[in-house]
Amino acid sequence: MNKPLNGLLIGCGFFSRNHLHGWSDVEGAEIGAVCDLDPARAEAYAKEYSIPEFHVDASILKSGAFDFVDICTTMDTHEDLVALAVEAGVPVIVQKPFAPDIETCRRIQANAEAAGVRVMLHENFRFQNVFRRLRDILDSGEIGETTFARLSWRNDIDVYTNQPYLTKTKRFMIMDVGIHMIDLARFLMGNADAVTCLNQSVKEGIAGEDAATMLLRHDNAATSIIDVSYASHRTPSLFPQTLGEIEGRLGTVQILQGEVLRIHSNRTTRDEKVEDDGRSWTSEPWIQIQDSVPKTQQHFIDALRSGQAFETSAEDSLQTYSLAEAAYQSADTGKLIEISSLEEVD
Ligand SMILES: NC(=O)c1ccc[n+]([C@@H]2O[C@H](COP(=O)([O-])OP(=O)(O)OC[C@H]3O[C@@H](n4cnc5c(N)ncnc54)[C@H](O)[C@@H]3O)[C@@H](O)[C@H]2O)c1
């Protein structure tokens, strides 16, 4: 039996509670220390989650004690923290958003690649059970080659109380939730090479957009519409569900409320209710998201051990973040942005 890999978790804030719970459900890994700039937070999280050590300085990564690092801080800190891990030769799983713009994402990725240090984005939506099942249905060929997708995330959850920095984030909605949807669109529909986008700031007093509508052109000429909003008032709230549909040449799969997939093929229709795994620490309304965290972490550990590619490696994720960059450029210019035009900027 292999010894569990020993990890350092950096960032003891709002979302890292889910990471710490998640790691306790992962096979083959454990968190040996937590780190936060705020010593009281680091100490409190170490105590609450029975972690042996806490630190305030991330350069503890250079101690040689860690087999991996889990970075759960906001995007503005990722370049420096990943660079530190790269210098220490420690593999990284880093939360989305990767970085505020594509140039920074590219620098982080190139630096890690040059040093041969593996980096994966913690992109958990594609690891939700409902989307793994949907991927299986697409792979079965039941609805044929995909031609159209609509992925819709609309709710009015109060993100601002738990994550006050979001009110000041200039690139807000596309980076916060749109990035999950772009990754899902790529996971389900394949790569895309052009984007148009319109952004809206509905809530008053925030620095960025809180709603965005994107249109992606995929490599096989299929299209995806992605719409995301934190300003959509409905009862009951749809948070944290992604709804929509995928059409193929032979049928359609609808993604309905309550993690139900409705499959139309061969002139028949059937519903499949997809269940989340039961975990002692998950709670409404977050279950669907929380449940996907240990699945994302397990993929990281399994791929680290086996040497297989990460589904959302830093390199692969450059395509996701290029599409987000193109969406912002499109919203600014009112034009369709070809991804190839971003590459020419280098
Ligand atoms: N995947 C998801 O479903 C999901 C959901 C929510 C948040 N997130 C992401 O998680 C990330 C963290 O968000 P959050 O709301 O928990 O942030 P937060 O501000 O609550 O916590 C971040 C913590 O990191 C610490 N920190 C910052 N720089 C540090 C450094 N150099 N060394 C040590 N500690 C440092 C801060 O002191 C803070 O305690 C964000 O990128 C956010 O987008 C992801």
Side-chain angles (χ1 to χ4, degrees):
M1 173 86 182
N2 284 331
K3 222 175 124 214
L5 299 181
N6 184 35
L8 172 72
L9 179 136
I10 303 178
C12 299
F14 165 65
F15 201 70
S16 60
R17 290 183 174 284
N18 295 315
H19 285 223
L20 287 165
H21 279 300
W23 284 117
S24 65
D25 285 355
V26 170
E27 281 176 26
E30 59 192 17
I31 296 296
V34 292
C35 172
D36 199 289
L37 293 173
D38 177 343
R41 276 187 181 204
E43 185 172 8
Y45 275 53
K47 201 169 163 197
E48 188 176 339
Y49 294 93
S50 307
I51 309 289
E53 287 176 31
F54 67 91
H55 301 275
V56 290
D57 185 347
S59 59
I60 189 68
L61 268 177
K62 294 182 190 167
S63 66
F66 300 104
D67 302 309
F68 70 94
V69 59
D70 179 13
I71 300 176
C72 189
T73 58
T74 49
M75 61 179 165
D76 45 308
T77 66
H78 290 172
E79 183 168 20
D80 287 350
L81 288 172
V82 177
L84 191 60
V86 166
E87 207 185 320
V90 177
V92 178
I93 179 166
V94 57
Q95 255 297 346
K96 50 60 62 175
F98 196 6
D101 53 66
I102 189 63
E103 286 78 16
T104 312
C105 296
R106 285 183 187 143
R107 276 201 309 274
I108 300 175
Q109 189 276 331
N111 183 42
E113 187 180 314
V117 174
R118 300 184 66 190
V119 177
M120 169 176 149
L121 268 290
H122 181 118
E123 183 43 77
N124 50 319
F125 275 43
R126 65 160 67 203
F127 287 98
Q128 290 176 11
N129 285 355
V130 69
F131 292 115
R132 299 318 271 198
R133 177 62 193 136
L134 179 47
R135 185 63 258 174
D136 285 346
I137 294 168
L138 299 178
D139 288 341
S140 76
E142 191 175 353
I143 69 160
E145 185 194 10
T146 51
T147 54
F148 172 81
R150 187 173 58 84
L151 296 171
S152 178
W153 161 285
R154 310 191 78 79
N155 57 68
D156 64 351
I157 188 164
D158 171 20
V159 280
Y160 309 103
T161 300
N162 287 327
Q163 297 165 277
Y165 58 88
L166 291 176
T167 59
K168 299 195 183 85
T169 305
K170 290 215 173 92
R171 289 184 162 194
F172 167 26
M173 195 64 195
I174 295 175
M175 283 305 194
D176 196 54
V177 178
I179 205 74
H180 289 305
M181 300 293 123
I182 295 172
D183 180 69
L184 268 184
R186 290 188 56 230
F187 177 57
L188 298 169
M189 303 287 289
N191 277 336
D193 60 9
V195 185
T196 54
C197 178
L198 291 174
N199 286 344
Q200 295 163 278
S201 297
V202 181
K203 183 181 165 68
E204 286 179 14
I206 55 169
E209 79 287 355
D210 57 357
T213 309
M214 293 173 245
L215 172 61
L216 275 57
R217 185 183 69 207
H218 292 274
D219 290 352
N220 68 341
T223 52
S224 291
I225 294 172
I226 293 174
D227 59 282
V228 285
S229 167
Y230 275 136
S232 298
H233 310 295
R234 285 184 215 175
T235 310
S237 170
L238 292 175
F239 177 85
Q241 301 186 52
T242 306
L243 305 182
E245 60 244 316
I246 302 229
E247 294 177 1
R249 294 187 187 277
L250 305 174
T252 295
V253 183
Q254 290 175 275
I255 310 156
L256 302 177
Q257 216 165 313
E259 296 177 78
V260 171
L261 297 176
R262 179 163 296 162
I263 302 118
H264 308 258
S265 72
N266 292 321
R267 299 182 191 281
T268 62
T269 301
R270 69 174 193 281
D271 282 0
E272 284 190 21
K273 162 91 177 119
V274 181
E275 302 288 347
D276 294 312
D277 293 7
R279 296 179 194 276
S280 60
W281 51 272
T282 56
S283 58
E284 292 291 358
W286 282 85
I287 295 175
Q288 197 175 338
I289 287 180
Q290 290 170 317
D291 185 50
S292 62
V293 168
K295 291 172 196 295
T296 312
Q297 294 167 328
Q298 190 71 62
H299 171 71
F300 172 72
I301 293 300
D302 291 347
L304 209 52
R305 282 188 178 283
S306 67
Q308 284 183 334
F310 300 130
E311 282 189 24
T312 54
S313 66
E315 188 183 5
D316 177 82
S317 298
L318 290 182
Q319 302 196 39
T320 304
Y321 285 82
S322 292
L323 292 164
E325 185 75 32
Y328 281 110
Q329 285 196 13
S330 173
D332 287 348
T333 60
K335 293 183 177 154
L336 178 137
I337 305 295
E338 302 276 349
I339 299 307
S340 56
S341 75
L342 300 178
E343 281 150 17
E344 284 158 20
V345 171
D346 279 349

